[in-house]
Coordinates of all heavy atoms in Angstrom, one line a residue:
M1 N 10.5 -16.1 -31.0 CA 11.3 -15.2 -30.3 C 10.5 -13.9 -30.2 O 10.0 -13.4 -31.1 CB 12.6 -14.9 -31.0 CG 13.6 -14.2 -30.1 SD 15.0 -13.7 -31.0 CE 16.2 -14.9 -30.8
T2 N 10.4 -13.3 -29.0 CA 9.7 -12.1 -28.7 C 10.6 -10.9 -28.8 O 11.7 -10.9 -28.3 CB 9.1 -12.1 -27.3 OG1 9.1 -13.4 -26.8 CG2 7.7 -11.6 -27.4
Q3 N 10.1 -9.9 -29.5 CA 10.8 -8.6 -29.6 C 10.3 -7.7 -28.5 O 9.1 -7.5 -28.3 CB 10.5 -8.0 -31.0 CG 11.1 -8.8 -32.1 CD 12.6 -8.6 -32.2 OE1 13.2 -7.7 -31.8 NE2 13.3 -9.6 -32.8
I4 N 11.2 -7.0 -27.9 CA 10.9 -5.9 -27.0 C 10.8 -4.6 -27.7 O 11.6 -4.2 -28.4 CB 12.0 -5.8 -25.9 CG1 12.1 -7.1 -25.1 CG2 11.6 -4.7 -24.9 CD1 13.2 -7.1 -24.1
K5 N 9.6 -4.0 -27.5 CA 9.4 -2.7 -28.1 C 10.3 -1.6 -27.5 O 10.3 -1.4 -26.3 CB 7.9 -2.3 -28.0 CG 6.9 -3.2 -28.7 CD 5.5 -2.7 -28.5 CE 4.5 -3.7 -29.1 NZ 3.2 -3.2 -28.8
P6 N 11.0 -0.9 -28.3 CA 11.9 0.1 -27.8 C 11.1 1.3 -27.3 O 11.5 2.1 -26.5 CB 12.8 0.5 -28.9 CG 12.1 0.1 -30.1 CD 11.2 -1.1 -29.7
S7 N 9.8 1.5 -27.7 CA 9.0 2.6 -27.3 C 8.1 2.3 -26.1 O 7.1 3.0 -25.9 CB 8.2 3.1 -28.5 OG 7.3 2.1 -28.8
A8 N 8.4 1.2 -25.4 CA 7.6 0.8 -24.2 C 7.7 1.9 -23.2 O 8.8 2.3 -22.8 CB 8.0 -0.5 -23.7
S9 N 6.6 2.4 -22.6 CA 6.7 3.4 -21.7 C 6.6 2.8 -20.2 O 6.0 1.8 -20.0 CB 5.5 4.4 -21.9 OG 4.3 3.7 -21.7
L10 N 7.1 3.6 -19.3 CA 7.0 3.2 -17.9 C 5.6 3.4 -17.4 O 4.9 4.3 -17.8 CB 8.0 4.0 -17.1 CG 9.5 3.8 -17.4 CD1 10.4 4.7 -16.6 CD2 9.9 2.4 -17.1
P11 N 5.2 2.6 -16.4 CA 3.8 2.8 -15.9 C 3.6 4.1 -15.1 O 2.5 4.6 -15.0 CB 3.6 1.5 -15.1 CG 4.9 1.0 -14.7 CD 5.8 1.4 -15.9
L12 N 4.7 4.5 -14.5 CA 4.6 5.8 -13.7 C 5.3 6.9 -14.4 O 6.4 6.7 -14.9 CB 5.2 5.5 -12.3 CG 4.5 4.5 -11.4 CD1 5.3 4.3 -10.1 CD2 3.1 4.8 -11.2
K13 N 4.7 8.1 -14.4 CA 5.3 9.2 -15.1 C 6.0 10.1 -14.0 O 6.0 9.9 -12.8 CB 4.2 10.0 -15.8 CG 3.5 9.2 -16.8 CD 4.4 8.7 -17.9 CE 3.7 7.9 -18.9 NZ 4.5 7.0 -19.7
K14 N 6.5 11.2 -14.5 CA 7.2 12.2 -13.6 C 6.3 12.7 -12.5 O 6.7 12.9 -11.4 CB 7.8 13.3 -14.5 CG 8.6 14.3 -13.7 CD 9.1 15.4 -14.6 CE 9.9 16.4 -13.8 NZ 10.4 17.5 -14.7
I15 N 5.1 13.0 -12.9 CA 4.1 13.6 -11.9 C 3.9 12.6 -10.8 O 3.7 13.0 -9.6 CB 2.8 14.0 -12.6 CG1 1.9 14.8 -11.6 CG2 2.1 12.9 -13.2 CD1 2.4 16.1 -11.1
N16 N 3.8 11.3 -11.1 CA 3.6 10.3 -10.0 C 4.8 10.3 -9.0 O 4.5 10.2 -7.8 CB 3.6 8.9 -10.7 CG 2.4 8.7 -11.6 OD1 2.5 8.9 -12.8 ND2 1.2 8.4 -11.0
F17 N 6.0 10.4 -9.5 CA 7.2 10.5 -8.6 C 7.2 11.7 -7.8 O 7.6 11.7 -6.6 CB 8.5 10.3 -9.4 CG 8.6 8.9 -9.9 CD1 8.5 8.7 -11.3 CD2 8.8 7.8 -9.1 CE1 8.7 7.4 -11.8 CE2 9.0 6.5 -9.6 CZ 8.9 6.3 -10.9
I18 N 6.7 12.9 -8.3 CA 6.6 14.1 -7.6 C 5.6 14.0 -6.5 O 5.9 14.4 -5.3 CB 6.3 15.3 -8.5 CG1 7.5 15.5 -9.5 CG2 6.0 16.5 -7.7 CD1 7.2 16.5 -10.6
I19 N 4.5 13.4 -6.8 CA 3.4 13.2 -5.7 C 3.9 12.3 -4.7 O 3.7 12.5 -3.5 CB 2.1 12.7 -6.4 CG1 1.5 13.8 -7.3 CG2 1.1 12.4 -5.3 CD1 0.4 13.4 -8.1
M20 N 4.6 11.2 -5.0 CA 5.1 10.3 -4.1 C 6.2 10.9 -3.2 O 6.3 10.6 -2.0 CB 5.6 9.0 -4.7 CG 4.5 8.1 -5.3 SD 5.0 6.5 -5.9 CE 6.1 6.9 -7.3
A21 N 7.0 11.8 -3.8 CA 8.0 12.5 -3.0 C 7.4 13.4 -1.9 O 7.8 13.4 -0.8 CB 9.0 13.2 -3.9
V22 N 6.3 14.1 -2.3 CA 5.6 14.9 -1.4 C 5.0 14.1 -0.3 O 5.0 14.4 0.9 CB 4.5 15.7 -2.1 CG1 3.6 16.4 -1.1 CG2 5.1 16.7 -3.1
A23 N 4.5 12.9 -0.6 CA 3.9 12.0 0.4 C 5.0 11.5 1.4 O 4.7 11.5 2.6 CB 3.3 10.8 -0.3
I24 N 6.2 11.2 0.9 CA 7.2 10.8 1.8 C 7.6 11.9 2.7 O 7.8 11.6 3.9 CB 8.5 10.3 1.0 CG1 8.1 9.0 0.3 CG2 9.7 10.1 1.8 CD1 9.2 8.5 -0.7
V25 N 7.7 13.1 2.3 CA 8.0 14.2 3.1 C 6.9 14.4 4.2 O 7.2 14.6 5.4 CB 8.2 15.5 2.3 CG1 8.2 16.8 3.2 CG2 9.4 15.4 1.4
M26 N 5.6 14.3 3.8 CA 4.5 14.4 4.7 C 4.6 13.3 5.8 O 4.4 13.6 7.0 CB 3.2 14.3 4.0 CG 2.8 15.5 3.2 SD 1.3 15.3 2.3 CE 0.1 15.3 3.6
I27 N 5.0 12.1 5.4 CA 5.1 11.0 6.4 C 6.2 11.2 7.4 O 6.1 11.1 8.6 CB 5.2 9.6 5.6 CG1 4.0 9.3 4.9 CG2 5.6 8.5 6.6 CD1 4.1 8.2 3.9
V28 N 7.3 11.7 6.9 CA 8.5 11.9 7.7 C 8.2 13.1 8.7 O 8.5 13.0 9.9 CB 9.7 12.2 6.9 CG1 10.9 12.8 7.7 CG2 10.2 11.0 6.2
V29 N 7.5 14.1 8.2 CA 7.2 15.3 9.1 C 6.2 14.8 10.1 O 6.3 15.2 11.3 CB 6.6 16.4 8.2 CG1 5.9 17.5 9.1 CG2 7.7 17.1 7.4
G30 N 5.2 14.0 9.7 CA 4.2 13.5 10.7 C 4.9 12.6 11.8 O 4.6 12.8 13.0
F31 N 5.8 11.8 11.4 CA 6.5 11.0 12.5 C 7.5 11.9 13.3 O 7.6 11.6 14.5 CB 7.3 9.8 11.8 CG 6.5 8.6 11.6 CD1 5.9 8.4 10.3 CD2 6.2 7.7 12.6 CE1 5.1 7.3 10.1 CE2 5.4 6.6 12.4 CZ 4.9 6.4 11.1
A32 N 8.0 12.9 12.7 CA 8.9 13.8 13.5 C 8.1 14.6 14.5 O 8.5 14.9 15.6 CB 9.6 14.8 12.5
L33 N 6.8 15.0 14.1 CA 6.0 15.7 15.1 C 5.5 14.8 16.2 O 5.3 15.2 17.3 CB 4.7 16.2 14.4 CG 5.0 17.4 13.4 CD1 3.7 17.7 12.7 CD2 5.5 18.6 14.2
M34 N 5.5 13.5 16.0 CA 5.1 12.5 17.1 C 6.3 12.2 18.0 O 6.1 11.7 19.1 CB 4.6 11.2 16.5 CG 3.2 11.3 15.8 SD 2.6 9.8 15.4 CE 3.3 9.6 13.7
A35 N 7.5 12.5 17.6 CA 8.7 12.1 18.4 C 8.9 13.0 19.5 O 8.3 14.1 19.6 CB 9.9 12.2 17.5
G36 N 9.7 12.6 20.5 CA 10.0 13.4 21.6 C 9.2 13.0 22.9 O 8.5 12.0 22.9
G37 N 9.4 13.8 23.9 CA 8.7 13.5 25.2 C 9.5 12.6 26.1 O 9.0 12.3 27.2
A38 N 10.7 12.3 25.8 CA 11.5 11.5 26.7 C 12.0 12.3 27.9 O 12.2 13.5 27.8 CB 12.7 10.8 26.0
T39 N 12.3 11.6 29.0 CA 12.9 12.3 30.2 C 14.2 11.6 30.6 O 14.3 10.4 30.3 CB 11.9 12.3 31.4 OG1 11.6 10.9 31.7 CG2 10.6 13.0 31.1
D40 N 15.1 12.4 31.2 CA 16.4 11.8 31.6 C 16.3 11.1 32.9 O 16.9 10.1 33.2 CB 17.4 12.9 31.6 CG 17.7 13.4 30.2 OD1 17.6 12.7 29.3 OD2 18.1 14.6 30.2
D41 N 15.4 11.7 33.8 CA 15.4 11.1 35.2 C 14.3 10.1 35.4 O 14.2 9.6 36.5 CB 15.2 12.3 36.2 CG 14.0 13.1 35.9 OD1 13.3 12.8 35.0 OD2 13.7 14.0 36.7
G42 N 13.5 9.8 34.4 CA 12.5 8.7 34.5 C 11.2 9.2 35.1 O 10.3 8.4 35.3
S43 N 11.0 10.5 35.3 CA 9.8 11.0 35.8 C 8.8 11.2 34.7 O 9.1 11.2 33.5 CB 10.0 12.4 36.5 OG 10.5 13.3 35.5
F44 N 7.5 11.3 35.1 CA 6.4 11.5 34.1 C 6.5 12.8 33.4 O 6.7 13.9 34.1 CB 5.1 11.3 34.8 CG 3.9 11.5 33.9 CD1 3.6 10.6 33.0 CD2 3.1 12.7 34.0 CE1 2.5 10.8 32.1 CE2 2.1 12.9 33.1 CZ 1.8 11.9 32.2
N45 N 6.4 12.8 32.1 CA 6.4 14.0 31.3 C 5.0 14.2 30.7 O 4.6 13.5 29.8 CB 7.5 13.9 30.2 CG 7.7 15.2 29.5 OD1 7.0 16.2 29.7 ND2 8.6 15.2 28.6
P46 N 4.3 15.2 31.1 CA 2.9 15.4 30.6 C 2.9 15.9 29.1 O 1.9 15.9 28.5 CB 2.3 16.5 31.5 CG 3.5 17.2 32.1 CD 4.6 16.2 32.2
E47 N 4.1 16.2 28.5 CA 4.2 16.6 27.1 C 3.8 15.5 26.2 O 3.6 15.8 25.0 CB 5.5 17.2 26.8 CG 5.8 18.6 27.3 CD 4.9 19.6 26.6 OE1 4.8 19.6 25.4 OE2 4.2 20.4 27.3
I48 N 3.8 14.3 26.6 CA 3.5 13.2 25.7 C 2.0 13.2 25.3 O 1.7 12.6 24.3 CB 3.8 11.8 26.3 CG1 3.0 11.5 27.6 CG2 5.3 11.7 26.6 CD1 3.1 10.1 28.1
F49 N 1.2 14.0 26.0 CA -0.2 14.1 25.7 C -0.5 15.4 25.0 O -1.7 15.8 24.9 CB -1.1 13.9 26.9 CG -0.9 12.6 27.6 CD1 -0.3 12.5 28.8 CD2 -1.3 11.5 26.9 CE1 -0.2 11.3 29.4 CE2 -1.2 10.2 27.5 CZ -0.6 10.1 28.8
S50 N 0.5 16.1 24.4 CA 0.2 17.3 23.7 C -0.6 17.1 22.4 O -0.5 16.0 21.8 CB 1.5 18.1 23.4 OG 2.2 17.4 22.4
T51 N -1.3 18.0 21.9 CA -2.1 17.9 20.7 C -1.2 17.7 19.5 O -1.6 16.9 18.6 CB -2.9 19.2 20.5 OG1 -3.7 19.5 21.7 CG2 -3.8 19.1 19.3
R52 N 0.0 18.2 19.5 CA 0.9 18.0 18.4 C 1.3 16.5 18.3 O 1.3 16.0 17.2 CB 2.2 18.9 18.6 CG 3.2 18.6 17.6 CD 4.4 19.5 17.9 NE 5.1 19.2 19.1 CZ 6.2 18.5 19.2 NH1 6.8 18.0 18.2 NH2 6.7 18.2 20.4
R53 N 1.5 15.9 19.4 CA 1.9 14.5 19.3 C 0.8 13.5 19.1 O 1.0 12.4 18.6 CB 2.7 14.1 20.6 CG 4.0 14.8 20.7 CD 4.9 14.2 21.7 NE 6.2 14.8 21.7 CZ 6.6 15.6 22.6 NH1 5.9 15.9 23.7 NH2 7.8 16.2 22.5
I54 N -0.4 13.8 19.6 CA -1.5 12.8 19.5 C -2.5 13.1 18.4 O -3.4 12.2 18.1 CB -2.2 12.5 20.8 CG1 -2.9 13.8 21.4 CG2 -1.2 12.0 21.8 CD1 -3.7 13.5 22.6
V55 N -2.5 14.3 17.8 CA -3.5 14.6 16.8 C -2.8 15.1 15.5 O -3.1 14.5 14.4 CB -4.5 15.7 17.3 CG1 -5.4 16.2 16.2 CG2 -5.2 15.3 18.5
V56 N -2.0 16.1 15.6 CA -1.4 16.7 14.4 C -0.4 15.7 13.7 O -0.5 15.5 12.5 CB -0.7 18.0 14.7 CG1 -0.1 18.6 13.5 CG2 -1.7 19.0 15.3
G57 N 0.5 15.2 14.4 CA 1.5 14.3 13.8 C 0.9 13.0 13.2 O 1.1 12.8 12.0
P58 N 0.0 12.3 13.9 CA -0.6 11.1 13.2 C -1.5 11.5 12.0 O -1.6 10.8 11.0 CB -1.5 10.5 14.3 CG -0.8 10.9 15.6 CD -0.3 12.3 15.3
A59 N -2.2 12.7 12.1 CA -3.0 13.1 11.0 C -2.2 13.4 9.7 O -2.6 13.0 8.6 CB -3.8 14.4 11.4
I60 N -1.1 14.1 9.9 CA -0.2 14.4 8.8 C 0.4 13.1 8.2 O 0.5 13.0 7.0 CB 0.9 15.4 9.2 CG1 0.2 16.8 9.4 CG2 2.0 15.5 8.1 CD1 1.2 17.8 9.9
A61 N 0.8 12.2 9.1 CA 1.4 10.9 8.6 C 0.3 10.1 7.8 O 0.6 9.6 6.8 CB 1.9 10.1 9.8
F62 N -0.9 10.1 8.4 CA -2.0 9.4 7.7 C -2.3 10.0 6.3 O -2.4 9.3 5.3 CB -3.2 9.4 8.5 CG -4.4 8.7 7.9 CD1 -4.5 7.3 7.7 CD2 -5.5 9.5 7.4 CE1 -5.6 6.7 7.1 CE2 -6.5 8.9 6.7 CZ -6.6 7.5 6.6
L63 N -2.3 11.3 6.3 CA -2.6 12.0 5.0 C -1.4 11.7 4.0 O -1.7 11.6 2.8 CB -2.8 13.5 5.2 CG -4.1 13.9 5.8 CD1 -4.1 15.4 6.1 CD2 -5.3 13.5 5.0
G64 N -0.2 11.6 4.5 CA 0.9 11.2 3.7 C 0.7 9.9 3.0 O 1.0 9.7 1.9
F65 N 0.2 8.9 3.8 CA 0.0 7.6 3.2 C -1.2 7.6 2.2 O -1.1 6.9 1.2 CB -0.4 6.6 4.4 CG 0.8 6.2 5.2 CD1 1.0 6.5 6.5 CD2 1.8 5.4 4.6 CE1 2.1 6.1 7.2 CE2 2.9 5.0 5.3 CZ 3.0 5.4 6.6
V66 N -2.2 8.5 2.4 CA -3.3 8.6 1.5 C -2.7 9.3 0.2 O -3.0 8.8 -0.9 CB -4.4 9.5 2.1 CG1 -5.4 9.8 1.0 CG2 -5.1 8.7 3.2
V67 N -1.9 10.3 0.3 CA -1.3 10.9 -0.8 C -0.4 10.0 -1.6 O -0.3 10.0 -2.8 CB -0.5 12.2 -0.4 CG1 0.3 12.8 -1.6 CG2 -1.5 13.3 0.1
M68 N 0.3 9.1 -0.9 CA 1.1 8.1 -1.5 C 0.3 7.2 -2.4 O 0.6 6.9 -3.6 CB 1.9 7.3 -0.5 CG 2.8 6.2 -1.1 SD 4.1 6.8 -2.1 CE 5.2 7.4 -0.8
G69 N -0.9 6.7 -1.9 CA -1.8 5.9 -2.7 C -2.3 6.7 -3.9 O -2.4 6.1 -5.0
A70 N -2.6 7.9 -3.7 CA -3.1 8.7 -4.9 C -2.0 9.0 -5.9 O -2.2 9.0 -7.1 CB -3.6 10.1 -4.4
G71 N -0.7 9.1 -5.4 CA 0.4 9.3 -6.3 C 0.7 8.1 -7.1 O 1.1 8.2 -8.3
I72 N 0.5 6.9 -6.6 CA 0.7 5.7 -7.3 C -0.4 5.5 -8.4 O -0.1 5.1 -9.5 CB 0.8 4.5 -6.4 CG1 2.0 4.6 -5.5 CG2 0.7 3.2 -7.1 CD1 2.1 3.6 -4.4
M73 N -1.6 5.8 -8.0 CA -2.7 5.6 -8.9 C -3.1 6.8 -9.9 O -4.0 6.7 -10.6 CB -4.0 5.3 -8.1 CG -3.9 4.0 -7.4 SD -5.4 3.5 -6.5 CE -5.5 4.7 -5.3
W74 N -2.3 7.9 -9.8 CA -2.6 9.1 -10.6 C -2.5 8.7 -12.0 O -1.5 8.2 -12.5 CB -1.6 10.2 -10.2 CG -2.0 11.5 -10.8 CD1 -1.6 12.0 -11.9 CD2 -2.8 12.4 -10.1 NE1 -2.1 13.3 -12.1 CE2 -2.9 13.5 -11.0 CE3 -3.5 12.5 -8.9 CZ2 -3.7 14.7 -10.7 CZ3 -4.2 13.6 -8.6 CH2 -4.3 14.7 -9.5
P75 N -3.5 9.0 -12.8 CA -3.5 8.6 -14.2 C -2.6 9.5 -15.1 O -2.4 10.7 -14.8 CB -5.0 8.9 -14.7 CG -5.5 9.9 -13.8 CD -4.8 9.7 -12.4
S76 N -2.0 8.9 -16.1 CA -1.2 9.7 -17.0 C -2.0 10.5 -18.0 O -3.1 10.1 -18.3 CB -0.2 8.8 -17.7 OG -0.9 7.9 -18.5
R77 N -1.5 11.6 -18.5 CA -2.3 12.4 -19.4 C -2.0 12.0 -20.9 O -1.8 12.8 -21.7 CB -2.0 13.9 -19.2 CG -2.3 14.4 -17.9 CD -3.8 14.6 -17.8 NE -4.1 15.2 -16.5 CZ -5.3 15.3 -16.0 NH1 -6.3 14.9 -16.8 NH2 -5.5 15.8 -14.8
K78 N -2.0 10.7 -21.1 CA -1.6 10.2 -22.4 C -2.8 10.5 -23.3 O -4.0 10.2 -23.0 CB -1.3 8.7 -22.4 CG -0.9 8.1 -23.7 CD -0.8 6.6 -23.6 CE 0.6 6.3 -23.2 NZ 0.9 4.8 -23.3
Q79 N -2.6 11.0 -24.5 CA -3.6 11.2 -25.5 C -4.0 9.9 -26.2 O -3.2 9.3 -26.8 CB -3.2 12.3 -26.5 CG -2.9 13.6 -26.0 CD -4.2 14.3 -25.5 OE1 -5.3 14.0 -26.0 NE2 -4.1 15.2 -24.6
Q80 N -5.3 9.5 -26.0 CA -5.7 8.3 -26.7 C -6.7 8.7 -27.8 O -7.5 9.6 -27.6 CB -6.4 7.4 -25.7 CG -5.5 6.9 -24.6 CD -6.2 6.1 -23.6 OE1 -7.4 5.9 -23.6 NE2 -5.4 5.5 -22.7
P81 N -6.6 8.1 -28.9 CA -7.5 8.4 -30.0 C -9.0 8.1 -29.6 O -9.2 7.1 -28.9 CB -7.0 7.6 -31.2 CG -6.2 6.5 -30.6 CD -5.7 7.0 -29.3
E82 N -9.8 8.9 -30.1 CA -11.3 8.7 -29.9 C -11.7 7.5 -30.6 O -11.5 7.3 -31.8 CB -12.1 9.9 -30.4 CG -11.8 11.2 -29.6 CD -12.6 11.2 -28.3 OE1 -13.6 10.6 -28.3 OE2 -12.1 11.9 -27.4
A83 N -12.4 6.6 -29.9 CA -12.9 5.4 -30.6 C -14.4 5.7 -31.0 O -15.2 6.1 -30.1 CB -12.9 4.2 -29.6
T84 N -14.7 5.5 -32.2 CA -16.0 5.7 -32.7 C -16.7 4.3 -32.8 O -16.2 3.4 -33.3 CB -16.1 6.4 -34.1 OG1 -15.3 5.6 -35.0 CG2 -15.4 7.8 -33.9
S85 N -17.9 4.3 -32.4 CA -18.7 3.0 -32.5 C -19.5 3.0 -33.8 O -19.6 4.0 -34.5 CB -19.7 2.9 -31.3 OG -20.6 4.0 -31.4
D86 N -19.9 1.8 -34.1 CA -20.6 1.7 -35.4 C -22.0 2.4 -35.4 O -22.4 2.9 -36.4 CB -20.9 0.2 -35.6 CG -19.7 -0.6 -35.9 OD1 -18.7 0.0 -36.4 OD2 -19.6 -1.8 -35.6
S87 N -22.6 2.6 -34.2 CA -23.9 3.3 -34.2 C -23.7 4.8 -34.5 O -24.6 5.4 -35.0 CB -24.6 3.1 -32.9 OG -23.8 3.6 -31.8
E88 N -22.5 5.4 -34.0 CA -22.3 6.8 -34.3 C -22.0 7.0 -35.8 O -22.3 8.1 -36.3 CB -21.2 7.3 -33.4 CG -21.5 7.3 -32.0 CD -20.3 7.8 -31.1 OE1 -19.3 8.1 -31.7 OE2 -20.4 7.8 -29.9
E89 N -21.4 6.1 -36.4 CA -21.0 6.3 -37.8 C -22.2 6.2 -38.7 O -22.3 6.8 -39.8 CB -20.0 5.2 -38.2 CG -18.6 5.4 -37.6 CD -17.7 4.3 -37.9 OE1 -18.1 3.4 -38.7 OE2 -16.6 4.3 -37.4
S90 N -23.3 5.5 -38.3 CA -24.4 5.3 -39.2 C -25.4 6.5 -39.1 O -26.3 6.6 -39.9 CB -25.2 4.0 -38.8 OG -25.6 4.1 -37.5
K91 N -25.2 7.4 -38.2 CA -26.1 8.6 -38.1 C -25.8 9.6 -39.1 O -24.9 9.8 -39.7 CB -25.9 9.2 -36.7 CG -26.5 8.4 -35.6 CD -26.3 9.1 -34.3 CE -26.9 8.2 -33.2 NZ -26.8 8.8 -31.9

C-alpha cells in the first residue's frame, strides 16, 4: 500500500499563477484591439486595415501567449541543498 506524503508540493507556485493571469489579460486585450470594423449598411470600411487591428492587437496577443509559456515554465525558488562531489571533498 502506498502512502501519500502530506508535504507534497504543487508543481506551480503563486508566482506562476500571477504570470499566467497577466498573460490571460494580455491575450484578451490583444483580441479586443483586433475587434471591430463592422458596418451596418454592408459598405466597405477602411478601418479594418488600421495599424491597431493588424499590428498592435496581434502582437500583444502573441506576446501574451509567449508570457503564458514562460509563466508555466517559471522555476520555483526552492532552496536545494548543495551537493558536494567526491572530488571536492578530497581536496
Side-chain angles (χ1 to χ4, degrees):
M1 193 191 264
T2 343
Q3 293 285 337
I4 297 176
K5 295 180 182 177
S7 64
S9 63
L10 296 174
L12 298 177
K13 303 296 180 200
K14 182 179 178 181
I15 187 70
N16 297 95
F17 289 111
I18 293 171
I19 294 171
M20 289 190 295
V22 168
I24 289 172
V25 169
M26 288 176 69
I27 293 168
V28 169
V29 167
F31 276 96
L33 289 174
M34 289 187 273
T39 59
D40 293 333
D41 58 358
S43 63
F44 177 73
N45 185 358
E47 281 295 311
I48 62 172
F49 298 114
S50 70
T51 304
R52 176 180 62 103
R53 289 196 176 109
I54 63 173
V55 176
V56 178
I60 291 175
F62 176 74
L63 288 175
F65 285 111
V66 170
V67 170
M68 180 65 75
I72 293 171
M73 294 185 293
W74 194 267
S76 63
R77 298 282 182 193
K78 184 186 268 186
Q79 294 291 334
Q80 296 178 355
E82 295 275 335
T84 57
S85 64
D86 293 333
S87 62
E88 291 178 1
E89 291 176 0
S90 61
K91 289 182 181 179

